Amino acid sequence: MIKRPLPFLLAFFIGGIVTGYVAEIPRPWVLGVLGAGLALSAVCFAARRNTAAFVAAGTGFFALGLYGLGSILYGEVPPDHVVHWAERGKIVLDGVVAENPRVSGDRTTLVLDAVRVESEGVSQGAGGRVLLSVGETTRDFKYGDYVRTGVRLKRPRSFSNPGAFDYERHLRLQGIRVRGFVDDTRKVVLIREGQGDPWRQSLERFRTGIRDRIRSQAPFPEGTLIQAMTLGEQYEIPREIQDRFNRTGTSHIIAISGFNVGIIALIAFFVIRTLLKTSEYLLLRFNLQKLSALFAFGPVVFYAFVAGLGMSTVRALLMTLALLVTILMGRARDLPNTLALAAFAILAVSPAALFDISFQLSFAAVAAILLLMPGITERLAAWKNRAAGQADRLARRLAANLALFIAVSAAATLGTLPFIVYYFNRVSNITLLANLLLVPILGFVVLPLSMVLILIAPLSDTLSAVLIDITAWFTRLSLDLNDGLASLPGASSILTTPSFPELAAYYVVLLAAALLLGLPGQRGSDIPFFRTRRNAAAALTLALLFIAGHTLWLSLKLENRESLRVTFLDVGHASCSLVELPGGRRILVDGGGFHNDRFDVGRYVVAPFLWQNRIGKIDIVVLTHPHPDHVSGLPYILENFDVEEVWSNGDEAAVDEGAPLREKMRAKGITPRLLTSESAAIEVDGARIRILNPDTLSPPGEDLSDRDINERSLVLQLQWKEASFLLPSDIGEPTESALAARHTIPAGGVLLAPHHGSARSNSSAFLRAVRPGVVVISTGRPIREEVLDRLRNTGAVVYRTDAHGAVRVTTDGARYEVVPFKSP
């Protein structure tokens, strides 16, 4: 008989959701398995075969999870869904603002419920959700606004690189299959207000009043933190402040999460219990522990409503309420079932929540606390009880409380560590110290003061102004402390992305070590396989051997590589190529980027690809020329990777776009190696690199046009044995002709198409001189057919990053193996 069926069934349910995420299973099959599993379960229960019944029920729950997520990702859309107008030119769209708008800098992001579409003079009703980005913000939108705008709708596109964040699937999990962009709020016409749910509109009006009060009276950036902790709106916090909280491992404090809601519940519980203790009647009549838990529901629910009832807030609310329910039911020791029940409630409503980082972190933290804290709590209690006198009791009580706080923080850190490394590739080395200093201020001073502010703001401008000043002072103190901690040498470490087997091995180590230390107490005997200390020791040994062996295998694999590999990344209409040489050295040629700084390709595309491939060091970074689509991603790479050299032609010193890279090089103490076609060939790990362009360095102070910068691009020709790669960056036809006349380039090699496949480059004469066997076009836009014809006429096989995603070319020095990330 299974002692705890709920966690068992939850595991099957989650397994189905995960399977539905990675693969599309025909829905009739899923429904068949669902019906068969539930029917067989009922039969087995009737026959008193409980184990078989639970296994059959688990199969049914697996199919239920599969069906729930499959309906979101792969379900058919109705004929009037707005996705049918994507990629069909400009339309007029009517929609209602369905979520609280997000304002970040000069851009507003709206989620619209489509109402009507007008295309080619024909107007008709429409449905579905649209993600609309509006630039040049001059007007505030709000929930329930009925708006109209002209827009070109597009399907979301992800960067198709190994290990990349799947943006398209991320939006689809939110019910969004199409997006659009409007460059000015004046092009979005407000038709009428108040078209949302009346109750939700009342809530948003209340929240707007709090937000306006904080913005008008709190200084910057303190007000952004108060707003985040009160209203759950983190997006106004400056990126550099968020990064510093990440470095200290305290970012959970400034987000509406289980931590914040739990603190509100804790404070409410103890305040209410203290008040109830003043009544002798209540002391004699009721169980104050349960009564306090009951009354704590109110403040917790109120806080969640003020925070906007976003999905992360609702998850934290359900988890906290579930824990309060266990106290009410006298089942405080049966928290595993409670945790499973909370997870079931959340995933039943929203299966996509499983893939939300906050969901994973919250449950991992709570699960680790449930595993590790019982034994620690028992030992601390026993230690306190051995006190000899009153002074000793007081000292031991204070020390035990401090130790308990540190132990809870350590348990949560250990539980969430794999997820933090997997998603953020950064681990704080001072997280315990930072939490010890910041949690008391932000969690037990700023957060309660913010709650009082919510109550006072509608009643008194004077009192709320005083309260905001006090709250802002404590917030400033926290910011200063956090800045000081984040600036400490070695405050955080950057790690490459672990594999799923490594994550599993980590949790086996954590579980086995906890059981060997006796931390879970009696509940350890309920964990399958780990029923004896011998089994726990065996599991711990095997997991540690796996981690050590896997690390050694990765190291040997790098050192004994017998091939050369070049990966042309999908970075949109930009360029970034990674060269991995046989001896293990790596060269990154350009870093991609956009012509505005709203999206850092280095941070969100290039770095995740490198970390996913276990790369933390780049031996040489090459900047071919300082246009944004080549240079903008490189500053983040220099800041977060071990970079030995930077090669360039020096033009980054002549244009504003090169300033961020110059600043990072100065901070790292790197002097760029300036190269021209006059430079001697460079030998790296047996490969020979020639610089074919430019002929000279540009004179200091020379004013370079965009065309000059393109024509002066560094052109690299890489030769290893008989294999050849030509990387000509953004040169145009004049430079192509000069290269074809001056240099002999081995035929049959790999060519990165000049200037992203532009018709003003890729001239027939140049292509005849190069005679490539493989051509890769790094592009995010359609390529003109005449260019494709020129490339195909050379006999080359053509790959495009917009259609094929990242293109990886591996050679043994004689033959080439080309593997695109996806099929077009």
Side-chain angles (χ1 to χ4, degrees), residues 45 110 119 156 221 258 264 270 279 283 324 484 497 514 532 581 635 678 768:
F45 267 121
L110 304 175
S119 176
I264 294 297
F270 282 106
S279 169
L283 280 170
L324 291 174
T497 306
T532 66
L581 297 168
E678 299 299 319
R768 284 195 301 269

Side-chain angles (χ1 to χ4, degrees), residues 159 425 569-571 574-576 588 590-594 596-611 628-641:
F159 294 98
N425 298 99
L569 274 66
D570 174 16
V571 286
S575 183
C576 179
L588 186 70
D590 291 328
F594 289 97
N596 59 62
D597 58 359
R598 293 191 182 99
F599 185 83
D600 189 338
V601 171
R603 175 191 289 266
Y604 297 112
V605 181
V606 182
F609 165 79
L610 296 172
W611 286 325
D629 55 334
H630 292 251
V631 70
S632 294
L634 290 180
Y636 187 84
I637 301 301
L638 260 67
E639 182 178 6
N640 293 279
F641 288 78

Side-chain angles (χ1 to χ4, degrees), residues 742-756:
R742 290 201 308 262
H743 299 284
T744 300
I745 299 169
V750 178
L751 170 69
L752 177 64
H755 209 167
H756 317 289

